[in-house]
Amino acid sequence: MAKFIPLSVPNFEGHEKEYVSDAVVSEWVSTGGSKVGDFEKVFADYVGMPRAVACNSGSSAMHLTALVAGIGRGDEVIVPTLTFIASINPVTRYVGAEPVFIGCDDSLCIDPAAVEAFCRDKCELRPEGLFDKATGAHVKALEVVHVFGNLADMEALMDIAEKYHLIVIEDACEAVGSYFTKGRYAGRMAGTIGDVAGYSFNGNKIITTGAGGMVVSNHPDWAEHAKHLSTQAKSDELQFFHDEVGYNYRLTNLQAALGLAQMETLETFITRKKEFYDRYVQALDGKNGYRILPFKEDVSRSNHWFYSLYLEDDRHKRDEVIGALKEGSIQARPVWALIHEQADYGSCQAYSLEKAQDYRARIVNLPCSTNLTQEDQQRVIDLLLSL
Ligand SMILES: Cc1ncc(COP(=O)(O)O)c(C=O)c1O
């Protein structure tokens, strides 16, 4: 049986064991201890923000973004349909809001033209904000997801948000380390452009704390509010007073120890991801009915987190390719089922879906772990070329 090649697994080749062991020896393994604050500081410095708030998952980070943005019952949020479910549930159902789904452009991220068309044609702009003509609801925010680490068209999206008075929530869960190199946001990292953003350190992400997340905001008081909500909204040191409904969304000292070590190797991981990506492009793009979907290399430095093999004609069927790779002990997966078709979202408004449907039908995500060997990658390539 050939060696199993996983899709995306953690890589602990740095100081992880040492830092986690320090935490164990110090006996600060839960939510106290110095490493959470250290990790927040290192992460904030890396993304160029004054403050970062650690929490226990990307999902809780996204929930906190919606809470501090003041999104609540009856509000509407414009969201992409091509994303992971945890982009959507926390900023809509968890806070009682309603999504309006929009398809993607060729970056796989939300399509600015379709967002604009919804705001212009389906809504009315009043002094108090944007209102959906069909439902009467306040369209309060736009959520942008940087899919697979590829940056969305933030210039266009921020312009639309400004014009229509929308709060911008960035889901940068997959885009730690991606930043613009050109244009209005040159030098700005994913997650630092909108009003508020969340990141994920789940096990399959470019760096991991086992499970974990981070929130940043361009409003200092929102960041502080996120911290407060993530720590049970406790308003004093001793008496256990709580001034609103909070959550136990804290990261542990053990997880932060992992995160500190991972931050030290993040840039190495990003360099490697690009090398693997380039190798897939060279070997597969334009061959045998395959394309490797591009990242925005001309305007950004992407983290190249997840690679997308696109089946450009009917020579190959997505699930057959995945099945053939599985037969060869290689893990691959389709892009997510579109969210507007999922339980609880079936009756929501959804617009400009053609590209999202096409990418959903034709993408296969290929192994991309930072510890993928050249031989393993060659095995993936050879198998694909043999189909
Ligand atoms: C786009 C996106 N949003 C949200 C999440 C949620 O993060 P987590 O799994 O850490 O809760 C993930 C990752 O899983 C993600 O890929």
Side-chain angles (χ1 to χ4, degrees):
M1 181 78 173
K3 179 186 148 202
F4 176 65
I5 303 175
L7 183 65
S8 180
V9 288
N11 183 346
F12 298 138
E13 64 187 37
H15 290 115
E16 286 79 6
K17 291 189 186 75
E18 187 188 328
Y19 296 174
V20 171
S21 160
D22 287 350
V24 173
V25 169
S26 75
E27 296 181 354
W28 289 101
V29 296
S30 188
T31 51
S34 62
K35 291 190 191 296
V36 175
D38 293 347
F39 182 41
E40 289 178 335
K41 173 93 183 58
V42 167
F43 190 86
D45 289 347
Y46 177 81
V47 296
M49 295 291 272
R51 174 90 165 100
V53 174
C55 54
N56 57 10
S57 70
S59 304
S60 53
M62 293 316 299
H63 187 198
L64 291 167
T65 67
L67 290 166
V68 300
I71 294 163
R73 196 157 299 284
D75 291 333
E76 285 182 5
V77 184
I78 303 171
V79 299
T81 188
L82 184 77
T83 187
F84 181 51
I85 192 82
S87 298
I88 308 303
N89 289 332
V91 305
T92 59
R93 292 297 183 244
Y94 289 10
V95 291
E98 197 65 26
V100 175
F101 292 101
I102 301 286
C104 65
D105 63 17
D106 289 318
S107 69
L108 304 181
C109 302
I110 196 165
D111 179 0
V115 174
E116 168 108 58
F118 169 75
C119 296
R120 186 189 57 229
D121 302 340
K122 307 278 180 191
C123 300
E124 184 190 334
L125 187 59
R126 301 186 204 144
E128 324 86 85
L130 189 68
F131 288 81
D132 186 326
K133 286 195 263 193
T135 62
H138 183 185
V139 185
K140 206 162 189 180
L142 163 66
E143 186 194 48
V144 179
V145 183
H146 302 292
V147 176
F148 299 153
N150 202 20
L151 289 164
D153 184 349
M154 289 307 286
E155 290 196 11
L157 291 163
M158 292 300 287
D159 286 347
I160 294 164
E162 195 185 335
K163 184 165 164 194
Y164 293 102
H165 304 176
L166 299 168
I167 293 166
V168 176
I169 298 176
E170 287 182 76
D171 178 339
C173 284
E174 304 179 350
V176 174
S178 296
Y179 62 87
F180 284 102
T181 52
K182 290 220 178 81
R184 197 198 305 166
Y185 300 117
R188 300 271 289 272
M189 288 264 180
T192 69
I193 296 166
D195 290 279
V196 63
Y199 302 88
S200 167
F201 310 123
N202 185 39
N204 63 348
K205 296 297 184 288
I206 190 148
I207 58 165
T208 185
T209 56
M214 199 70 85
V215 175
V216 299
S217 173
N218 278 310
H219 308 277
D221 53 327
W222 290 21
E224 282 322 308
H225 192 195
K227 187 71 180 175
H228 187 60
L229 287 169
S230 73
T231 51
Q232 301 283 22
K234 192 155 163 269
S235 54
D236 77 304
E237 275 300 304
L238 187 64
Q239 302 290 344
F240 290 85
F241 290 122
H242 305 267
D243 55 12
E244 60 185 314
V245 174
Y247 303 82
N248 179 5
Y249 279 173
R250 296 170 299 181
L251 194 74
T252 66
N253 207 49
L254 271 181
Q255 291 169 309
L258 264 185
L260 282 166
Q262 292 271 284
M263 285 303 289
E264 292 174 357
T265 34
L266 172 55
E267 283 298 312
T268 309
F269 290 164
I270 292 175
T271 305
R272 229 177 268 169
K273 286 264 191 191
K274 166 92 167 91
E275 284 166 15
F276 299 164
Y277 172 77
D278 287 344
R279 216 177 287 148
Y280 275 133
V281 170
Q282 233 208 333
L284 297 172
D285 194 49
K287 308 206 175 108
N288 200 26
Y290 298 139
R291 280 186 52 214
I292 299 292
L293 292 186
F295 290 84
K296 290 182 180 155
E297 316 275 3
D298 50 337
V299 295
S300 70
R301 192 289 297 261
S302 169
N303 72 358
H304 292 88
W305 174 60
F306 240 49
Y307 313 134
S308 302
L309 177 79
Y310 178 81
L311 308 171
E312 66 181 352
D313 53 35
D314 291 334
R315 262 178 279 182
H316 304 291
K317 293 261 173 300
R318 180 195 68 197
D319 294 346
E320 286 170 15
V321 172
I322 293 170
L325 288 164
K326 190 171 178 208
E327 284 283 301
S329 281
I330 296 165
Q331 189 181 22
R333 67 166 221 206
V335 75
W336 317 276
L338 301 179
I339 311 293
H340 74 276
E341 294 170 350
Q342 311 251 4
D344 209 50
Y345 294 119
S347 58
C348 298
Q349 297 180 74
Y351 301 102
S352 300
L353 304 169
E354 300 73 19
K355 282 196 178 178
Q357 281 158 344
D358 181 65
Y359 285 122
R360 157 71 181 145
R362 293 177 182 276
I363 285 177
V364 175
N365 291 124
L366 298 178
C368 62
S369 309
T370 53
N371 49 19
L372 187 72
T373 65
Q374 203 162 331
E375 299 74 62
D376 288 348
Q377 194 179 9
Q378 197 56 48
R379 239 180 72 206
V380 178
I381 291 165
D382 290 344
L383 199 150
L384 286 167
L385 291 176
S386 75
L387 297 179

